């Protein structure tokens, strides 16, 4: 099973992190990522750029066409600022890895299971039946051609 | 104060993360994988009792390591192997400099080499690897292989006795032994994966959990030997193959063949990892002045499929070429059979049937459903319906996996 660790930090935590030498943060994160890569569980992850740079946008679907603005980001002053994707054997194992992340007060990791094929069984069913029908039609037309 | 269930869950997770390193460090100190494993299990049992009462310690991995070391000494005392004990204590004294809970990852590599030692049967190598490197319980391994837990337990006990009888040292292989031994380790991981990818027996067509365990151990290995191209190539091959799991089974678990799979359900992240892994393998091979090995060629074939957005966009001529190269490098009837399938797609069923008939005449793959099922498919495409029907029946009779058998029976009824 796969889990996404969603990193959320309060504005205060983001401010506080600016007092720590950036190289130190990079080294700690690097060591953490390396430990998960070497254990064969980390399969993806990215850090998101600071929004104060005006680097991002928000697309709001409240209107048609959707409204594109520079912020506001998030509703609770908890900014989503990075993620990891890990492949592990259990929820407990995901929790164990998540709790080893080098984060301080004001930061939170949300651990969310990534949907798998089995979560869409009904959907797969319909799709499959549709495909099967299509395939049968093709078969029939081929047989007709070969007669 | 934690509930026993919570402690159990936490302990299982910890064991998967730390188990291999704890056992490996103990094995280095005691020189005995069996003893190391028993002592570690003692410590886990002790943790379960102790932590349920006092709560989980701040550094649980170090706690288990320390207790396991004490239990190892107890076991030696009981065995009264004094000479061995002195040696162990001497080794321990040298060892004190290193922090106990952070043994060198090299210990895990030694463990992997020991578990895949050629004195062991393939079955034993797989069981022991999953047990000591994958940190799976006997019950979990039994579930993955659909055999009784007692059978797995026996395999592991016998494997340990064999290692002891052969006096296999817990050391990395000699330089001249290194390459063949590493090939053995890769092969064990490969076999583990293929059994999960297309189960030879049982009810289910695939066992993704087993394949994912093999993938995890493969990824651990690339971390341990980052400059070995074959390790990266094997992991790339597994990533490409595993990317199709969601699409390989239809409703009710029936197999869906490659051409019929819904490619939007392939795992793009995994495909990208495969592409990156194969590129890394190729880069390392170039640096070493070596050609692509068999895992890299298989990964390249898998990449051709993975990067074709629709089945009809598959570059079959290139796949034929890759199979020809693979056939020269590691000849075998399975490669020839796969080449025949590729030829049938690239040029047509007649040319492919010639290859398959030659294989059949040689008596290759006798007793397996693979050859008759491919032959039946080709006959059906050539309009030789009655022969196809008979051949599908033969294949259905030989298939060990229920899901595959059902598909073949259906084809026999309506080729």
């Amino acid at each position: 099973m796969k889990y996404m660790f969603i990193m959320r930090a309060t504005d205060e935590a983001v401010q506080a992190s600016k007092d720590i030498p950036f190289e130190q943060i990079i080294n700690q994160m690097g060591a953490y990522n390396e430990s998960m890569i070497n254990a064969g569980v980390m399969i993806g992850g990215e850090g998101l750029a600071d929004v104060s740079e005006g680097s991002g946008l928000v697309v709001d679907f409240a209107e048609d066409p959707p409204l594109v603005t520079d912020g506001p980001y998030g509703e609770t002053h908890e900014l989503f600022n990075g993620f990891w994707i890990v492949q592990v054997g259990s929820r407990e194992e995901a929790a164990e890895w998540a709790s080893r992340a080098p984060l301080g007060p004001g930061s939170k990791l949300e651990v969310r299971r990534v949907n798998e094929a089995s979560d869409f069984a009904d959907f797969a069913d319909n799709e499959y039946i549709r495909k099967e029908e299509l395939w049968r039609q093709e078969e029939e037309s081929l047989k007709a051609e070969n007669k | 104060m934690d509930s026993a269930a919570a402690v159990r869950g936490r302990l299982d997770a910890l064991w998967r993360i730390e188990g291999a390193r704890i056992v490996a460090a103990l094995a280095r100190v005691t020189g005995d994988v069996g003893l190391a494993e028993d002592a570690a299990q003692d410590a886990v049992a002790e943790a379960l009792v102790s932590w349920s009462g006092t709560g989980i310690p701040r550094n649980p991995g170090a706690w288990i390591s320390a207790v396991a070391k004490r239990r190892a000494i107890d076991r030696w005392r009981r065995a009264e192997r004094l000479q061995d004990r002195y040696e162990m204590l001497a080794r321990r004294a040298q060892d004190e400099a290193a922090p106990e809970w952070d043994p060198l990852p090299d210990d895990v590599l030694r463990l992997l080499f020991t578990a895949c030692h050629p004195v062991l049967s393939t079955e034993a190598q797989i069981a022991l690897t999953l047990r000591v490197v994958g940190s799976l319980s006997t019950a979990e391994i039994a579930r993955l292989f659909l055999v009784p837990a007692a059978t797995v337990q026996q395999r592991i006990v016998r494997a340990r006795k064999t290692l002891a009888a052969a006096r296999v040292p817990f050391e990395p292989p000699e330089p001249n032994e290194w390459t063949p031994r590493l090939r053995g380790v890769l092969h064990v991981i490969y076999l583990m994966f293929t059994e999960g990818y297309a189960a030879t027996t049982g009810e289910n067509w695939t066992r993704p959990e087993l394949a994912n365990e093999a993938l995890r151990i493969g990824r651990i290995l690339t971390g341990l030997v980052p400059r070995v191209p074959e390790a990266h190539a094997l992991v790339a091959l597994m990533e490409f193959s595993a990317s199709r799991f969601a699409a390989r089974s239809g409703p009710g678990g029936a197999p869906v063949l490659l051409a019929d799979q819904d490619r939007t359900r392939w795992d793009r992240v995994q495909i990208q990892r495969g592409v990156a892994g194969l590129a890394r393998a190729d880069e390392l091979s170039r640096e070493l002045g070596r050609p692509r090995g068999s895992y890299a060629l298989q990964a390249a074939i898998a990449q051709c499929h993975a990067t074709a957005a629709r089945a009809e966009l598959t570059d079959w001529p290139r796949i034929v070429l890759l199979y020809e190269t693979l056939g020269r490098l590691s000849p075998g009837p399975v490669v020839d059979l796969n080449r025949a399938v590729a030829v049938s797609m690239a040029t047509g069923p007649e040319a492919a049937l010639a290859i398959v008939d030659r294989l059949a005449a040689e008596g290759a793959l006798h007793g397996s459903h693979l050859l008759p099922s491919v032959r039946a498919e080709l006959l059906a495409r050539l309009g030789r319906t009655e022969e196809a029907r008979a051949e599908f029946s033969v294949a259905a009779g030989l298939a060990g996996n229920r899901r595959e058998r059902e598909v073949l029976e259906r084809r026999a009824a309506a080729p």
Side-chain angles (χ1 to χ4, degrees):
Chain A
M1 49 186 89
K2 293 179 187 148
Y3 284 85
M4 185 187 264
F5 299 170
I6 298 169
M7 198 181 357
R8 294 186 186 279
T10 56
D11 298 346
E12 294 77 32
V14 173
Q15 274 308 319
S17 74
K18 293 197 160 83
D19 299 336
I20 303 168
F22 195 54
E23 190 160 358
Q24 188 183 326
I25 294 179
I26 289 180
N27 289 344
Q28 285 179 334
M29 277 294 170
Y32 175 59
N33 291 343
E34 194 172 40
S35 72
M36 291 205 289
I37 289 166
N38 288 343
V41 298
M42 180 166 159
I43 57 172
E46 301 290 352
L48 304 186
D50 201 332
V51 291
S52 61
E53 299 163 12
S55 58
L57 291 165
V58 173
V59 180
D60 187 342
F61 292 85
E63 312 195 14
D64 188 15
L67 195 63
V68 181
T69 53
D70 183 358
Y73 301 89
E75 291 199 357
T76 56
H77 300 290
E78 281 193 349
L79 198 59
F80 171 18
N81 54 8
F83 70 92
W84 288 269
I85 296 179
V86 299
Q87 186 172 28
V88 291
S90 68
R91 185 160 157 258
E92 285 87 357
E93 198 185 341
E96 189 63 41
W97 281 115
S99 60
R100 296 178 183 209
L103 300 172
S107 292
K108 265 190 226 163
L109 277 187
E110 226 173 81
V111 178
R112 303 273 304 272
R113 191 170 66 80
V114 177
N115 273 331
E116 288 166 17
S118 56
D119 295 304
F120 301 111
D122 301 345
F123 165 81
D125 213 15
N126 299 340
E127 181 138 334
Y128 190 74
I129 287 167
R130 214 162 35 97
K131 272 197 160 356
E132 176 116 323
E133 260 171 11
L134 211 62
W135 177 73
R136 281 185 200 289
Q137 284 164 9
E138 276 175 359
E139 280 273 308
E140 293 304 317
S141 63
L142 276 176
K143 278 181 192 154
E145 275 170 40
N146 293 339
K147 267 181 188 155
Chain B
M1 185 73 194
D2 299 86
S3 80
V7 169
R8 173 89 268 179
R10 179 84 197 274
L11 201 52
D12 284 347
L14 269 169
W15 188 247
R16 260 178 77 101
I17 295 171
E18 313 263 7
R21 290 200 304 171
I22 291 170
V23 172
L26 279 174
R28 178 165 45 87
V29 173
T30 62
D32 181 338
V33 174
L35 178 85
E37 233 238 305
D38 285 337
Q41 286 308 321
D42 289 350
V44 168
E46 202 165 319
L48 195 57
V49 175
S50 167
W51 299 358
S52 298
T54 59
I56 296 168
R58 178 130 186 85
N59 191 338
W63 191 102
I64 295 175
S65 275
V67 172
K69 266 199 171 162
R70 283 203 295 277
R71 292 299 153 265
I73 295 169
D74 293 347
R75 282 176 174 271
W76 287 79
R77 285 211 181 102
R78 278 204 299 277
E80 290 188 334
R81 289 150 72 177
L82 273 177
Q83 189 50 43
D84 289 339
R85 244 178 74 207
Y86 291 139
E87 280 176 25
M88 174 183 153
L89 289 169
R91 263 200 296 259
R92 250 192 96 194
Q94 290 168 6
D95 211 47
E96 291 305 337
E100 287 197 10
W101 56 89
D102 192 21
L104 291 169
D106 268 343
D107 287 345
V108 176
L109 188 59
R110 283 178 212 177
L111 197 58
L112 199 49
F113 274 114
T114 308
C116 299
H117 198 281
V119 300
L120 301 172
S121 71
T122 306
E123 276 183 347
Q125 291 180 28
I126 290 176
L128 203 57
T129 301
L130 284 169
R131 180 93 178 102
V132 297
V133 183
S135 305
L136 269 66
S137 71
T138 307
E140 283 172 322
I141 299 168
R143 203 169 40 78
L144 292 179
F145 282 95
L146 310 174
V147 293
T151 309
V152 173
Q153 192 58 40
Q154 266 169 357
R155 271 179 211 170
I156 288 167
V157 168
R158 214 174 310 127
R160 287 180 182 184
K161 283 184 176 155
T162 307
L163 288 175
R167 292 203 161 264
V168 171
F170 187 72
E171 275 159 21
E174 298 291 318
N176 61 342
E177 270 290 292
W178 172 264
T179 305
R181 290 283 304 281
L182 184 65
R183 208 176 294 136
V185 171
L186 291 166
H187 189 61
V188 165
I189 297 171
Y190 176 75
L191 287 178
M192 216 184 278
F193 183 85
T194 47
E195 179 55 32
Y197 185 69
T200 45
T201 55
E203 295 291 296
N204 291 332
W205 147 244
T206 59
R207 287 192 233 126
E209 300 89 356
L210 178 59
N212 285 332
E213 287 303 336
L215 192 45
R216 178 169 68 102
I217 292 170
R219 288 177 190 149
I220 291 172
L221 180 64
T222 53
L224 297 171
V225 291
R227 314 254 338 130
V228 174
E230 288 78 9
H232 289 280
L234 173 61
V235 171
L237 169 62
M238 294 193 288
E239 298 277 12
F240 283 129
S241 307
S243 73
R244 298 186 213 140
F245 269 124
R248 287 181 81 229
S249 298
V256 183
L257 298 176
L258 190 62
D260 304 325
Q261 284 171 21
D262 174 359
R263 297 180 177 222
T264 60
R265 300 180 65 206
W266 289 358
D267 186 329
R268 310 309 309 175
V269 171
Q270 248 174 330
I271 290 172
Q272 281 317 311
R273 290 173 58 84
V275 170
L278 182 56
R280 181 75 187 125
D282 284 342
E283 184 187 6
L284 289 165
S285 294
R286 258 196 311 278
E287 283 175 23
L288 296 163
R290 293 215 296 256
R292 272 180 169 175
S294 84
Y295 295 123
L297 288 166
Q298 289 178 72
I301 292 164
Q303 182 167 292
C304 285
H305 291 300
T307 49
R310 295 196 307 280
E312 59 271 24
L313 297 176
T314 308
D315 188 349
W316 288 108
R318 184 175 161 73
I319 293 176
V320 170
L321 199 66
L322 287 163
Y323 271 122
E324 283 170 356
T325 315
L326 183 62
R328 280 190 288 272
L329 196 68
S330 46
V334 174
V335 177
D336 286 339
L337 195 60
N338 278 312
R339 182 167 54 90
V341 173
V343 165
S344 83
M345 300 304 291
T347 53
E350 293 93 344
L353 191 61
I355 300 171
V356 174
D357 284 343
R358 196 166 50 245
L359 282 172
E362 288 165 5
L365 297 168
H366 188 72
S368 157
H369 69 290
L370 292 172
L371 197 145
S373 62
V374 171
R375 191 163 182 273
E377 195 64 51
L378 296 172
L379 290 166
R381 281 181 57 193
L382 288 163
R384 292 157 64 176
T385 311
E386 280 318 302
E387 290 167 274
R389 194 188 296 276
E391 200 70 86
F392 274 123
S393 294
V394 171
L398 291 169
N401 178 291
R402 182 170 72 90
R403 296 295 184 179
E404 275 189 294
R405 194 165 50 244
E406 285 168 354
V407 170
L408 292 164
E409 280 164 356
R410 268 205 301 281
R411 298 281 283 145

